[in-house]
Amino acid sequence: KAGVTQTPRYLIKTRGQQVTLSCSPISGHRSVSWYQQTPGQGLQFLFEYFSETQRNKGNFPGRFSGRQFSNSRSEMNVSTLELGDSALYLCASSFQGGGTGELFFGEGSRLTVL
Amino acid sequence: GQQVMQIPQYQHVQEGEDFTTYCNSSTTLSNIQWYKQRPGGHPVFLIQLVKSGEVKKQKRLTFQFGEAKKNSSLHITATQTTDVGTYFCAGPSGNEKLTFGTGTRLTIIP
């Protein structure tokens, strides 16, 4: 079956702009989690959605937001971009979520903020 | 909040040598998961341990979950060039948020 699909794969933005990233989970998976990966901070949890509801949220400012649609596809948005937002944004889907069970990661969206 | 630390941060080994990475959580975990991320790739699930003291093997990889369910280890016997990558442990906090460890980057010297 198809894996987790993230779009776009690469993007370049300037400070102050906003960006929307998309994630299509594996068919049948209702949980979608988002992580920010940077060389210095590792994998940082952003949020998890399950059946269109935000189940958990990490310690990121309100500029980072997300949502999940009825077909389980998820989007995350970052507004008023800062240089420090440059990172690889990874989406992961799972059947159960909630910290239990295998996460299937997408290839990621690499964001560069200039 | 929950912290998950891994040591060492980096490990360089000669091909054929063994490798071990250690994972320590500040809180008790209901389970521990291990992932491998190849250079330029995304994390890929390796295994999940649930029971206190559990030991699981996958070919040359041995995973252990500590008795107190706060620490874990991954041991690779006779490393090969295909083992190159960063190994992450991950465990859920009390609110079921999966927290990843800091990772151990393994490089192999042929």
Side-chain angles (χ1 to χ4, degrees):
Chain A
K1 55 185 174 183
V4 178
T5 304
Q6 290 188 246
T7 57
R9 291 290 312 280
Y10 303 91
L11 65 167
I12 299 174
K13 294 285 186 178
T14 56
R15 280 181 298 174
Q17 287 187 311
Q18 67 100 24
V19 65
T20 298
L21 308 178
S22 179
C23 172
S24 293
I26 290 173
S27 178
H29 285 186
R30 293 188 292 169
S31 169
V32 173
S33 298
W34 289 90
Y35 287 85
Q36 182 195 64
Q37 186 172 34
T38 58
Q41 296 296 319
L43 278 157
Q44 299 291 313
F45 175 82
L46 282 156
F47 25 65
E48 179 194 0
Y49 287 88
F50 186 88
S51 294
E52 301 180 67
T53 301
Q54 187 179 83
R55 173 186 266 176
N56 258 308
K57 190 177 189 303
N59 299 321
F60 280 81
R63 301 185 296 108
F64 291 81
S65 63
R67 58 178 176 170
Q68 187 179 32
F69 303 95
S70 58
N71 62 357
S72 292
R73 189 177 71 85
S74 177
E75 288 182 347
M76 68 162 282
N77 183 276
V78 188
S79 63
T80 319
L81 285 166
E82 301 176 358
L83 294 179
D85 296 333
S86 294
L88 179 66
Y89 290 88
L90 290 161
C91 162
S93 80
S94 67
F95 180 76
Q96 185 174 349
T100 299
E102 178 178 357
L103 291 185
F104 294 81
F105 282 87
E107 299 287 345
S109 293
R110 185 167 295 280
L111 170 65
T112 301
V113 181
L114 303 176
Chain B
Q2 179 196 29
Q3 291 188 3
V4 182
M5 303 298 293
Q6 284 182 252
I7 56 170
Q9 187 176 1
Y10 302 95
Q11 185 78 60
H12 311 280
V13 301
Q14 291 274 356
E15 188 175 6
E17 291 184 340
D18 292 356
F19 158 78
T20 304
T21 172
Y22 300 91
C23 173
N24 290 286
S25 170
S26 58
T27 60
T28 302
L29 303 170
S30 59
N31 71 79
I32 189 84
Q33 300 176 23
W34 284 92
Y35 290 80
K36 175 184 178 181
Q37 185 174 21
R38 293 180 185 273
H42 58 277
V44 175
F45 176 84
L46 294 175
I47 205 163
Q48 176 175 283
L49 305 173
V50 177
K51 299 177 182 177
S52 169
E54 188 171 12
V55 178
K56 285 189 176 181
K57 292 189 177 183
Q58 289 180 350
K59 297 183 180 179
R60 296 179 294 105
L61 278 61
T62 302
F63 304 84
Q64 286 190 305
F65 199 9
E67 294 290 341
K69 301 184 78 173
K70 295 182 70 174
N71 62 289
S72 181
S73 65
L74 158 60
H75 179 81
I76 302 178
T77 303
T79 54
Q80 300 175 358
T81 54
T82 53
D83 296 324
V84 165
T86 301
Y87 293 84
F88 293 97
C89 62
S93 60
N95 61 358
E96 301 180 326
K97 180 177 68 175
L98 191 65
T99 300
F100 277 75
T102 48
T104 296
R105 180 181 293 181
L106 172 65
T107 56
I108 307 290
I109 306 166

